[in-house]
Amino acid sequence: MKAPFILAVAGGKGGVGKTTVAVNLAAYMADRGLKLLLVDADVDNPNDHVNLGLEPVKLKDITVFAPVIDARKCTRCGTCARECPEHALLAAPGREPIFFEDRCSGCRVCQLVCPEDAISEGHKALGHIFRAREGEGSLELLGAELKPGEARSPLVAKALMDEVLARLGNARGGYDVVIVDCPPGVSNTVVQAMRHARLALLITEPTPLGLSTLKLALKVAEKLSLPAYLAVNRADISGHGLKAVEELAASRGLPILARVPFDEAAVRASVEGVPVVRLEPRSRAARELVRLAEVVLELGVMRGQPQRELEKP
């Protein structure tokens, strides 16, 4: 079984249209006959299923180790609290340690250093992995959602990508293309989402903030030695801003694959929960997104990735 082409769709800030681009690329490629896995790695606010009009189904919880202290064995020595790197355990003299769940990373140091073997393995849920599919179609969605109040987004994103890798290594997968809709920003959560990609498509907009955060996104791609390409969303809202983005791209040798115009059709599609390439395929935004999808597929083939015989639109 050949490996699929893995594309990371990322952007330095939220609101630039990253999810819109990822969902429309996935929908178009699936409609052309490719078996497509769309990964919603924005674990703090996953909404790809909303943009596709799908109802997600929970697959499994994402859990990490949490200490369970046996009061009968514990001698109140305080070793676990002293050695805990996150200070998730507080040990007052002569008292059983108090556990602060929100600080714990699940490293197990407390269990390893306890001289009385008084700490056993428990679990706490950080979030869950979910799945959705378009009927009998070729588009499958896999995502994860952080549990409200939790602050371990990178661990949830890593668990999601581990699940993706497990599916890619399983013969029942057989995907042609995997599109990872990355979270906004440039945090460790983004790195977890991008780390298995073969190509990064960076989405920006022609605004000062869009330009500034694009520079940060480029640094992430460079750290991962990931070939990067650019798509400008709402490209026609500012001629001056577009020129600034183009100048940056030229100075970095960054190819601009698409300039998606502002289009009310895209707004209507978002409201209705339908990709614009399906709702209004003749609109300006849809035509440019289709062109972008074809270019991305060509890049995947150029990099030695498999591609099925495409159906005619």
Side-chain angles (χ1 to χ4, degrees):
M1 182 177 64
K2 294 182 179 179
F5 170 46
I6 305 177
L7 171 71
V9 179
K13 65 180 285 291
V16 296
K18 169 183 57 61
T19 293
T20 296
V21 171
V23 166
N24 276 277
L25 292 184
Y28 174 76
M29 292 180 188
D31 291 347
R32 292 293 303 273
L34 292 170
K35 190 170 183 184
L36 201 297
L37 177 62
L38 175 61
V39 181
D40 192 346
D42 187 357
V43 300
D44 289 285
N45 185 33
N47 56 23
D48 286 16
H49 61 283
V50 177
N51 287 269
L52 286 165
L54 299 176
E55 190 65 34
V57 176
K58 179 179 174 180
L59 282 183
K60 61 183 178 182
D61 286 323
I62 298 170
T63 63
V64 294
F65 167 86
V68 176
I69 301 173
D70 187 339
R72 296 169 301 177
K73 293 183 179 180
C74 178
T75 61
R76 284 68 169 167
C77 67
T79 301
C80 58
R82 288 193 300 271
E83 298 298 328
C84 177
E86 280 86 21
H87 305 291
L89 288 164
L90 175 64
R95 295 187 178 183
E96 183 180 330
I98 300 172
F99 175 50
F100 295 91
E101 183 180 274
D102 59 328
R103 295 183 182 180
C104 181
S105 68
C107 69
R108 299 174 182 267
V109 167
C110 58
Q111 185 183 32
L112 295 173
V113 300
C114 178
E116 305 299 329
D117 195 26
I119 297 179
S120 59
E121 181 170 345
H123 296 90
K124 70 168 184 173
L126 298 180
H128 67 273
I129 294 175
F130 61 85
R131 172 183 177 271
R133 182 188 290 275
E134 287 191 333
E136 299 301 322
S138 59
L139 175 56
E140 182 178 1
L141 171 66
L142 197 67
E145 184 170 12
L146 187 72
K147 183 179 177 181
E150 281 293 343
R152 304 288 181 174
S153 299
L155 294 180
V156 174
K158 181 181 183 302
L160 171 62
M161 298 313 297
D162 288 345
E163 178 71 17
V164 170
L165 288 183
R167 284 174 171 260
L168 298 186
N170 193 314
R172 66 186 174 90
Y175 304 105
D176 297 303
V177 180
V178 177
I179 296 178
V180 183
D181 182 10
C182 298
V186 290
S187 66
N188 187 23
T189 311
V190 179
V191 173
Q192 292 296 332
M194 295 177 67
R195 62 193 174 105
H196 300 297
R198 297 293 177 265
L199 185 150
L201 179 62
L202 305 180
I203 313 301
T204 191
E205 62 183 8
T207 64
L209 186 56
L211 184 66
S212 175
T213 54
L214 172 61
K215 296 175 183 177
L216 297 176
L218 277 170
K219 289 183 179 180
V220 175
E222 290 169 359
K223 287 289 185 181
L224 295 172
S225 300
L226 195 57
Y229 296 82
L230 179 63
V232 186
N233 191 36
R234 297 186 285 270
D236 53 352
I237 63 173
S238 170
H240 176 74
L242 180 59
K243 182 179 179 182
V245 171
E246 291 173 338
E247 289 175 350
L248 173 66
S251 68
R252 300 288 187 90
L254 181 65
I256 299 179
L257 302 185
R259 295 169 176 80
V260 182
F262 175 79
D263 194 333
E264 291 185 1
V267 177
R268 288 192 294 272
S270 179
V271 171
E272 295 189 27
V274 181
V276 70
V277 296
R278 290 175 174 171
L279 184 68
E280 298 193 38
R282 296 185 181 277
S283 64
R284 294 190 305 147
R287 292 199 304 269
E288 184 67 358
L289 287 166
V290 165
R291 193 183 68 80
L292 173 60
E294 293 290 357
V295 172
V296 168
L297 285 174
E298 289 178 6
L299 288 170
V301 173
M302 287 169 57
R303 293 185 176 277
Q305 302 293 340
Q307 182 179 7
R308 293 186 180 181
E309 185 66 26
L310 298 179
E311 298 175 1
K312 297 299 181 183

